[in-house]
Amino acid sequence: ELDGHRHFMHKEIHEQPQAVSDTLEGRIAGDQVLVEAFGPEARSVFAEVERVQIVACGTSYHAGLTARYWLEDILRLPCGAEVASEFRYRNPVLQDNTLFVFISQSGETADTLAAMEQVRAERDSQGLNLPMLAICNVPESSLTRGADLTLLTHAGPEIGVASTKAFTTQLVALALLLVSLGKVQQRLSPEREARIVAGLKKLPRLIEGALVHEPQLEALARIFVDKHNALFLGRGTHYPIAMEGALKLKEISYIHAEAYPAGELKHGPLALVDENLPIVAVAPADDLLEKLKSNLQEVRARGGRMIIIADERAGIASEPGLEVVPAATHVGRITAPITLNIPLQLLAYHVAVLRGTDVDRPRNLAKSVTVE
Ligand code: M6R
C-alpha cells in the first residue's frame, strides 16, 4: 500500500519518525535502556566482552561503521566493522571474548550468513567465547535463527530496494547496544546514559524537523540531473553517513557518487573538483566543524558547486554556489548522524525521480542478496 505516496521509498522515508518510536518501544524505561531487550542472558554475555566486531553488507555495513565510532569514542571499547564478503574470505584472527554483531535488514544476505557460520565453526573448533548478536528487521530469518542474541529493529516491512528506515532503526538499535554494553561494563555513567536516552526519545521529532526540508532538497536535486559524478564528504561519524548518501544516490539515480572523509581531499580527490562535480557535505556542529569548514573552503576555491546538510548551530550561511540545508539543530553525538542522513535520502530520491529511473526497483539490484 502506497498510502498516497508515489513510491515505497518515499513512504518509507516518511515513516521514519514512527519507525524510530517502534524501535524504542519496550526497550527503554524512564531514562534507562533495558539490557534485557537483547535477551535474558544479555547481561552475562555483555559482561565478558572485551571487543566488538561488526559484520554486514551495504547500508547495514554503514550503520556498523557509524557504531564503530560511537563504541570506541564513548565506551573506549575496541570495535571493528567490516563488509561480510571480505571478512569471510580473508581468514581473520578471531580473539577470545569478542562480541560479533551481524546487521541485516533481511536476515537473508548470503555473505553475512556465511560470515556467521564461519565464526560459529571457529568458536566450536577452538573453544573461544564469541557470542553472536543479530540486529535484524525480519523475525524468524536465517540470521536471527543462527544468533545467540537478537534485537529486532521493528522498522516494519521495507519494500524499496534502497534501504532507508531500516538503516535509521539499525542506528537506533546500535545506540541501545552502546548503552547496554556501557552499563554492564560500567563504562558509561548514569548521567551519560540519561542524556543518550533523552536524545533517542527526541529523535522522532528531530527526524520530522529534517523531513520538513523536502521542498528545498527537491529543488536542489535539479543540480544533479545532468551530472555524471558527485562527491560526498563527512568527517568522524558523518563519514559513514556520507558513504550512505553516496550509496543511495548511485543505487537509484545511476549517478556515480563517491564518499570521502573530508580530511582526505588533498590526498587525491581534490583533483576532480570543477563546476561539473557537485559536492554534498554533512556538517554537524561538533569538534571537527572548523576542520570541515577549511576542507570546504578548499573545494569552494576550485569552483565546486556545494550543498551542505548542516546543523543550524554550525553557522554556515548560503552564498552563491553554496547552498545550506539547515536540517537539524541541537543534535548530539548519537542523534546527529541519524538526523543528518535524512536529507541525503530525500536528495537521492528526488534526483532519481527527476531522472525517471525505477526508484523502488533499480536495475540489476535485488532487495535481498541471497547469493554471493
Ligand atoms: O538485508 P541486508 O541489510 O543484509 O542487505 C544488505 C545490502 O544488500 C543492502 O543494504 C543494500 O546495500 C541496499 N540496497 C542499500 O540501499
Side-chain angles (χ1 to χ4, degrees):
E1 266 312 305
L2 280 166
D3 289 342
H5 293 270
R6 198 164 150 198
H7 299 96
F8 281 106
M9 181 182 179
H10 193 260
K11 177 175 179 240
E12 289 158 7
I13 289 172
H14 283 269
E15 281 172 351
Q16 290 176 112
Q18 183 60 49
V20 167
S21 299
D22 293 344
T23 309
L24 293 174
E25 176 72 35
R27 273 86 183 255
I28 48 181
D31 53 8
Q32 294 206 29
V33 171
L34 301 171
V35 180
E36 289 67 32
F38 290 85
E41 359 38 312
R43 215 169 262 280
S44 56
V45 171
F46 290 167
E48 304 286 309
V49 168
E50 288 170 22
R51 64 192 68 75
V52 175
Q53 176 64 51
I54 301 173
V55 181
C57 299
T59 288
S60 299
Y61 165 64
H62 296 154
L65 272 181
T66 312
R68 172 173 174 250
Y69 281 88
W70 286 339
L71 283 169
E72 295 216 342
D73 175 27
I74 300 171
L75 300 187
R76 311 303 299 149
L77 193 61
C79 181
E82 191 167 1
V83 289
S85 56
E86 284 301 307
F87 180 86
R88 65 180 286 200
Y89 286 118
R90 75 176 175 83
N91 195 18
V93 177
L94 306 190
Q95 292 174 275
D96 205 16
N97 299 327
T98 300
L99 172 68
F100 274 85
V101 181
F102 298 92
I103 310 173
S104 173
Q105 188 285 130
S106 62
E108 302 299 341
T109 299
D111 283 319
T112 308
L113 292 172
M116 177 181 258
E117 284 325 303
Q118 200 173 327
V119 172
R120 190 190 316 286
E122 189 123 349
R123 81 173 175 189
D124 290 350
S125 68
Q126 302 204 27
L128 298 173
N129 175 36
L130 304 175
M132 302 196 284
L133 164 67
I135 292 183
C136 190
N137 196 38
V138 179
E140 294 307 313
S141 57
S142 305
L143 197 77
T144 61
R145 281 197 298 270
D148 308 306
L149 303 173
T150 294
L151 190 77
L152 294 173
T153 42
H154 291 162
E158 191 180 63
I159 310 291
V161 164
S163 186
T164 53
K165 62 177 181 171
F167 178 68
T168 297
T169 56
Q170 284 165 352
L171 289 171
V172 173
L174 288 160
L176 295 173
L177 175 65
L178 166 104
V179 174
S180 299
L181 278 169
K183 263 158 79 117
V184 171
Q185 303 212 349
Q186 295 175 349
R187 291 171 184 268
L188 195 74
S189 68
E191 296 73 37
R192 187 94 197 252
E193 172 175 15
R195 279 210 302 281
I196 293 175
V197 171
L200 291 173
K201 286 184 182 165
K202 262 193 348 205
L203 252 183
R205 267 188 293 124
L206 292 170
I207 294 174
E208 272 161 20
L211 289 170
V212 162
H213 298 277
E214 182 162 11
Q216 188 186 359
L217 292 155
E218 186 174 2
L220 290 171
R222 271 187 235 117
I223 297 172
F224 294 79
V225 176
D226 58 347
K227 299 293 189 296
H228 300 290
N229 298 286
L231 192 60
F232 285 69
L233 301 175
R235 297 187 73 121
T237 46
H238 294 84
Y239 170 45
I241 296 306
M243 293 170 81
E244 175 58 11
L247 176 60
K248 281 303 82 103
L249 186 69
K250 72 183 109 173
E251 187 174 26
I252 58 171
S253 75
Y254 317 148
I255 294 172
H256 169 239
E258 208 176 350
Y260 254 92
E264 274 287 296
L265 269 177
K266 280 199 185 75
H267 301 283
L270 206 49
L272 291 170
V273 175
D274 64 15
E275 62 287 355
N276 292 316
L277 183 78
I279 290 150
V280 183
V282 191
D286 65 9
D287 43 4
L288 290 171
L289 180 64
E290 286 313 311
K291 289 192 190 302
L292 179 74
K293 281 183 179 167
S294 78
N295 300 143
L296 301 182
Q297 220 25 64
E298 292 162 353
V299 176
R300 285 287 288 140
R302 284 152 188 93
R305 179 91 198 248
M306 304 200 61
I307 294 168
I308 306 191
I309 313 297
D311 184 325
E312 281 173 50
R313 286 174 304 161
I316 306 175
S318 291
E319 51 182 273
L322 184 153
E323 304 254 10
V324 176
V325 182
T329 189
H330 293 291
V331 279
R333 193 93 185 85
I334 306 287
T335 48
I338 302 176
T339 309
L340 293 173
N341 176 57
I342 307 295
L344 300 181
Q345 298 173 340
L346 288 167
L347 182 66
Y349 172 77
H350 284 289
V351 174
V353 169
L354 284 178
R355 284 169 64 98
T357 57
D358 187 344
V359 173
D360 284 333
R361 282 181 305 164
R363 66 188 184 197
N364 311 337
L365 299 178
K367 179 65 185 160
S368 177
V369 184
T370 54
V371 290
E372 257 192 85

